Each structure stands twice: as structure tokens, then as C-alpha cells.
Amino acid sequence: MSSEKIVTLFDTVEHAQAAERNLIKADFKESDISVIHGRDLDSDSTVFKDTSIWKRLFGNDVEEEHAELYSEALHKNGAVLTVVAHGEDEHAKALAILNRHQLVDVPAKARGTETAAAPVAPTPRDTRPHLTGNETKDEILQLAKEELEVGKRLVKEGTTRIRRYVTTEDVSQKVNLREQHAEVVRNTVNRPVTGQNIDWSEKSVVVDELAEKPVVNKTAHVVEEVVVKKVNTNHDEEIKDTVRQQHAEVERLRNEENLKK
């Protein structure tokens, strides 16, 4: 989209500032609007007395008489307002707004025939035919291309938990136990004795009776080892996606009317 700079001259700074406010209200960017006035200049300042500065600002097409009017206006409370219009629609919109304010007809004033405020004239750059719409700025069409970049990130896919727990089981085992008891056997006898062979004193015989009882004892021994370790494995995975790329197609259109001529 081509852009053009519109240059206007006002007799007072107030008129220029009013036009600036209306342009901003109409959605023009403040960065595209510039108001140059001499209020902030010293009385003996020669910055804008040199008319060549206007050629540097607006191009070499600025006529010497017009440049002198710009310099003279700045030293008489005047102001120069410039606005950059992008495209034909915005250019027409800016002209419509500026024409509602107190503009100075620069060409007429240079000729000494200025009467009332006239519609804004094209900028000095627009006084000659353009082949491209704006010869001061190249149009650049950028072409972009996407590239697939595959990286890696570590994610948690799951957890392996090894838990040791205890179970019980009923078991049985046979054991042979012995017992020892006193057995009394009485035998009938008939045997003569003499007085000397009989012991008439009291006497008792004590026999201990024994019995085996089971004694339970438990022993533990390791029957299995579970080793837990981390193992790294690698695998190749093919990543497929879609990337975009911009291309430029040049189409040359010929004017049929010119061909017929």
C-alpha cells in the first residue's frame, strides 16, 4: 500500500492544532501527523529562515516561493501541518477533514492572488506524475516460510511401585512325644521270713513321671531378592506436521484501451 505525505499551511497555530485534533478523532495515527510552528523558536532563530530545510523535509519539488511562504508563516504565528495518508481512501479522508479548516492557498498566495481559504492542494511530491504511486518508498512484500523444529521434553508417563507385605499361612508338622509313668505291679508270694529279715520301718519310694511336650520355634531365611533399578531405552519416532510457505505470483495486466490505440 502506497503512502503520501499531505502538506498544509495555516495562518495560526490554533487552526493547525484544531485540524490535528480532528484527524486524530478520525483514527489517524499521531505518529503520522506533524505540526511545525515557530512559537518555540527564538526570535533570532534562523532554523527555518533557510528555505532549503523545506526541500529536505518534503522533497526537492518544493518551489522556492512556497518554501519562503512556509518560513515566513512560522515567524508570524503560522504553522505547517503534515499528515501521512496510507492508500487512496485514507488520502481522500484526510483531504476532506483538512478542507474544513482555515487553510492557506499556498500557490495563490505565492502568486499574490489568494482570496479565501481554498481546498488543500496535493503535496509538492504529487505535482508530477507518479509511475508507482509513491516514488520515494519501495513497496516490500515479505514472504514467510515455516520450518518444523522438533525438540524433546521429559514427561511422566507412569509409576512402578514395589511393595513388600506379609501374609500368614497355617502349617502343621507331626512330632513323636514320649511319656514316662510309674507302673505298680503287685505279685502274690508266700515265703517265710525270719524276724531278722523284716524291716518294720516306714519307707516310701518316689518315682518321677516324665512326658515330652512340643517346643515351637521359628526361624527365617531369605528365599528371594527383588532388585529395583532404572533402565534407559531409546527409540526413533517420526514426527509429521504441516508447515506453511508464502509465494509471490506476478501477474502483468495490460490496458486494453491502450492496446487498441
Side-chain angles (χ1 to χ4, degrees):
M1 180 182 295
S2 62
S3 60
E4 297 181 358
K5 180 179 288 186
I6 302 173
V7 182
T8 53
L9 178 63
F10 294 87
D11 283 332
T12 65
V13 177
E14 290 75 15
H15 290 160
Q17 291 175 342
E20 179 186 19
R21 288 193 296 269
N22 287 336
L23 287 171
I24 295 174
K25 290 180 181 179
D27 297 329
F28 282 86
K29 295 181 180 179
E30 293 188 42
S31 58
D32 289 338
I33 305 173
S34 175
V35 176
I36 306 173
H37 56 80
R39 285 188 174 181
D40 297 330
L41 301 177
D42 297 334
S43 58
D44 58 346
S45 176
T46 59
V47 175
F48 290 99
K49 289 182 180 180
D50 184 4
T51 57
S52 62
I53 190 173
W54 303 108
K55 295 181 180 293
R56 293 196 297 270
L57 291 175
F58 306 139
N60 293 326
D61 293 330
V62 178
E63 297 182 9
E64 188 68 25
E65 295 82 358
H66 296 180
E68 291 178 358
L69 289 177
Y70 295 149
S71 299
E72 181 182 355
L74 257 62
H75 289 82
K76 293 183 179 180
N77 195 36
V80 177
L81 182 148
T82 63
V83 56
V84 178
H86 304 279
E88 295 181 358
D89 294 341
E90 194 169 285
H91 186 272
K93 182 179 178 181
L95 292 180
I97 295 174
L98 292 171
N99 284 331
R100 294 198 297 265
H101 295 78
Q102 300 296 323
L103 300 175
V104 176
D105 190 344
V106 176
K109 189 170 184 178
R111 295 190 304 266
T113 59
E114 181 189 18
T115 54
V120 63
T123 63
R125 293 184 185 273
D126 298 327
T127 58
R128 56 192 174 89
H130 290 275
L131 296 179
T132 61
N134 188 351
E135 298 175 7
T136 63
K137 184 176 181 181
D138 294 336
E139 291 293 336
I140 300 176
L141 183 64
Q142 296 182 342
L143 304 178
K145 179 182 178 181
E146 290 181 335
E147 294 184 358
L148 185 64
E149 296 182 359
V150 180
K152 296 187 292 184
R153 63 186 180 93
L154 193 62
V155 298
K156 182 178 179 181
E157 292 189 343
T159 302
T160 299
R161 182 166 63 97
I162 296 89
R163 181 175 64 91
R164 185 176 65 183
Y165 60 95
V166 179
T167 61
T168 59
E169 180 184 359
D170 294 334
V171 297
S172 64
Q173 183 178 344
K174 290 184 178 181
V175 60
N176 182 265
L177 301 176
R178 295 185 301 168
E179 295 182 357
Q180 188 181 71
H181 302 282
E183 182 179 354
V184 179
V185 180
R186 292 188 179 195
N187 297 321
T188 301
V189 297
N190 186 3
R191 176 176 71 239
V193 297
T194 62
Q196 295 179 352
N197 294 330
I198 298 176
D199 184 3
W200 297 99
S201 62
E202 293 185 357
K203 185 180 179 180
S204 61
V205 177
V206 178
V207 178
D208 293 331
E209 294 183 337
L210 302 176
E212 290 180 337
K213 299 292 183 183
V215 177
V216 179
N217 186 30
K218 298 179 182 180
T219 59
H221 59 280
V222 179
V223 296
E224 184 181 0
E225 288 183 345
V226 178
V227 179
V228 181
K229 61 181 180 179
K230 295 181 179 180
V231 179
N232 296 326
T233 60
N234 298 321
H235 72 280
D236 295 331
E237 183 173 343
E238 185 177 359
I239 306 300
K240 295 182 179 180
D241 205 338
T242 303
V243 295
R244 298 172 296 177
Q245 180 176 356
Q246 295 176 328
H247 303 273
E249 180 180 281
V250 179
E251 181 181 4
R252 300 185 183 275
L253 302 178
R254 295 188 177 183
N255 192 320
E256 297 295 338
E257 294 182 358
N258 292 336
L259 291 177
K260 291 179 181 180
K261 294 180 181 180

Coordinates of all heavy atoms in Angstrom, one line a residue, residues 1 137-146 244-249:
M1 N 0.9 -1.2 0.0 CA 0.0 0.0 0.0 C 0.9 1.2 0.0 O 1.8 1.4 0.8 CB -0.9 0.0 1.2 CG -1.8 1.2 1.3 SD -2.8 1.2 2.8 CE -3.8 -0.3 2.5
K137 N 9.3 5.6 -1.8 CA 9.4 4.5 -0.9 C 9.0 3.2 -1.7 O 8.1 3.1 -2.4 CB 8.3 4.7 0.2 CG 8.4 3.5 1.3 CD 7.4 3.8 2.4 CE 7.4 2.8 3.4 NZ 6.5 3.0 4.5
D138 N 9.9 2.2 -1.6 CA 9.7 0.9 -2.2 C 8.7 0.1 -1.5 O 8.6 0.2 -0.3 CB 11.0 0.1 -2.3 CG 12.1 0.8 -3.2 OD1 11.7 1.6 -4.0 OD2 13.3 0.6 -2.9
E139 N 7.9 -0.6 -2.3 CA 6.9 -1.5 -1.7 C 7.6 -2.8 -1.5 O 8.1 -3.4 -2.4 CB 5.7 -1.7 -2.7 CG 4.8 -0.4 -2.8 CD 4.1 -0.1 -1.5 OE1 3.9 -1.0 -0.7 OE2 3.8 1.1 -1.3
I140 N 7.5 -3.3 -0.3 CA 8.2 -4.6 0.1 C 7.1 -5.6 0.4 O 6.3 -5.4 1.3 CB 9.2 -4.4 1.2 CG1 10.3 -3.4 0.8 CG2 9.8 -5.7 1.6 CD1 11.2 -3.1 1.9
L141 N 7.1 -6.7 -0.3 CA 6.2 -7.8 0.0 C 7.0 -8.9 0.7 O 7.8 -9.5 0.0 CB 5.5 -8.3 -1.2 CG 4.4 -9.4 -1.1 CD1 3.3 -8.9 -0.2 CD2 3.9 -9.9 -2.4
Q142 N 6.8 -9.1 1.9 CA 7.6 -10.1 2.6 C 6.9 -11.5 2.5 O 5.7 -11.7 2.6 CB 7.7 -9.8 4.1 CG 8.4 -8.5 4.4 CD 8.5 -8.2 5.9 OE1 7.8 -8.8 6.7 NE2 9.4 -7.3 6.3
L143 N 7.8 -12.5 2.2 CA 7.3 -13.9 2.0 C 7.9 -14.7 3.2 O 9.1 -14.7 3.4 CB 7.8 -14.4 0.7 CG 7.4 -13.7 -0.6 CD1 8.0 -14.3 -1.8 CD2 5.9 -13.6 -0.6
A144 N 7.1 -15.4 3.9 CA 7.5 -16.1 5.1 C 7.4 -17.6 4.8 O 6.6 -18.1 4.0 CB 6.6 -15.8 6.3
K145 N 8.2 -18.4 5.5 CA 8.2 -19.8 5.4 C 8.4 -20.4 6.8 O 9.2 -20.0 7.6 CB 9.3 -20.3 4.5 CG 9.4 -21.8 4.4 CD 10.6 -22.2 3.5 CE 10.7 -23.8 3.4 NZ 11.9 -24.2 2.6
E146 N 7.5 -21.4 7.1 CA 7.6 -22.0 8.4 C 8.6 -23.2 8.3 O 8.7 -23.9 7.3 CB 6.2 -22.5 8.9 CG 5.3 -21.4 9.2 CD 4.0 -22.0 9.7 OE1 3.6 -23.1 9.3 OE2 3.3 -21.3 10.5
R244 N 3.9 -24.0 6.6 CA 3.4 -23.1 5.5 C 4.5 -22.3 4.9 O 5.5 -22.0 5.6 CB 2.3 -22.2 6.1 CG 1.1 -22.9 6.6 CD 0.2 -21.9 7.3 NE 0.8 -21.3 8.5 CZ 0.3 -20.4 9.3 NH1 -0.9 -20.0 9.0 NH2 0.9 -20.0 10.4
Q245 N 4.3 -21.9 3.7 CA 5.3 -21.1 3.0 C 4.5 -20.1 2.1 O 3.6 -20.5 1.4 CB 6.3 -21.9 2.2 CG 7.3 -21.0 1.5 CD 8.4 -21.8 0.8 OE1 8.4 -23.1 0.9 NE2 9.3 -21.2 0.0
Q246 N 4.9 -18.9 2.1 CA 4.3 -17.9 1.2 C 5.1 -17.8 -0.1 O 6.3 -17.8 -0.1 CB 4.3 -16.5 1.9 CG 3.4 -16.5 3.1 CD 3.4 -15.2 3.8 OE1 4.4 -14.5 3.8 NE2 2.3 -14.8 4.5
H247 N 4.4 -17.6 -1.2 CA 5.0 -17.4 -2.5 C 4.4 -16.2 -3.1 O 3.4 -15.7 -2.7 CB 4.7 -18.6 -3.4 CG 5.1 -19.9 -2.8 ND1 6.4 -20.5 -3.0 CD2 4.4 -20.9 -2.0 CE1 6.5 -21.6 -2.4 NE2 5.3 -21.9 -1.8
A248 N 5.1 -15.7 -4.1 CA 4.7 -14.4 -4.8 C 4.4 -14.8 -6.2 O 5.2 -15.5 -6.9 CB 5.8 -13.4 -4.7
E249 N 3.3 -14.4 -6.7 CA 2.9 -14.6 -8.1 C 2.7 -13.3 -8.8 O 2.0 -12.4 -8.3 CB 1.5 -15.4 -8.1 CG 1.1 -15.6 -9.6 CD -0.3 -16.4 -9.6 OE1 -0.3 -17.6 -9.3 OE2 -1.3 -15.7 -9.8

